[in-house]
Amino acid sequence: MLLHTILIINSIILGTMIFFSFVMAPLIFTKLEGEVAGRFIRAVFPWYYLSLGILSLFSFITLLFANRIEAIIMILFLLGVVVSRQILMPKINIYRDLSVNNNGKAESMFNLLHRSSVGINFAQIVISLIVILRLVLYP
């Protein structure tokens, strides 16, 4: 029963990340005007990270009772959520605002931070997939 709960939580995490990364974010930026899309994404990201943080914390705590290796892997996922939400996201917003005024340095910093955020997000997708596969293959 515990294994099923952990698999469901991690499947929700993975599904959320894939849906948001490959469906919602591209749709937001292709269907909405730039300024509206930017405001919308800024409003959504804190909730996105908060939901991932809560789910991954619950997964981590549950995994402590079931499988310590996967618990350690999930702590990396949770660390990525905290870094993205609390450090990168505020800085990305600041540099994005500065880059709108043709500030080349700010635009360069925005691009670097944004790529870092995307890289962490991709790593988290891989981590989530690894946890699910390990739980299915080595219960």
Side-chain angles (χ1 to χ4, degrees), residues 8 16 27 53 68 108 118 130 133:
I8 290 169
T16 299
L27 277 175
R68 300 220 188 250
S108 176
V118 170
I130 288 170
L133 289 174

Side-chain angles (χ1 to χ4, degrees), residues 32-83:
L32 299 175
E33 293 180 26
E35 187 179 320
V36 174
R39 281 188 312 213
F40 183 73
I41 210 81
R42 281 186 187 198
V44 170
F45 264 123
W47 294 101
Y48 171 73
Y49 287 123
L50 182 62
S51 64
L52 290 178
I54 291 168
L55 288 168
S56 62
L57 179 61
F58 190 65
S59 174
F60 166 71
I61 291 168
T62 309
L63 282 165
L64 282 174
F65 297 101
N67 193 316
R68 300 220 188 250
I69 293 172
E70 279 73 23
I72 293 168
I73 295 170
M74 278 310 292
I75 206 74
L76 294 173
F77 184 100
L78 184 56
L79 180 63
V81 169
V82 171
V83 167

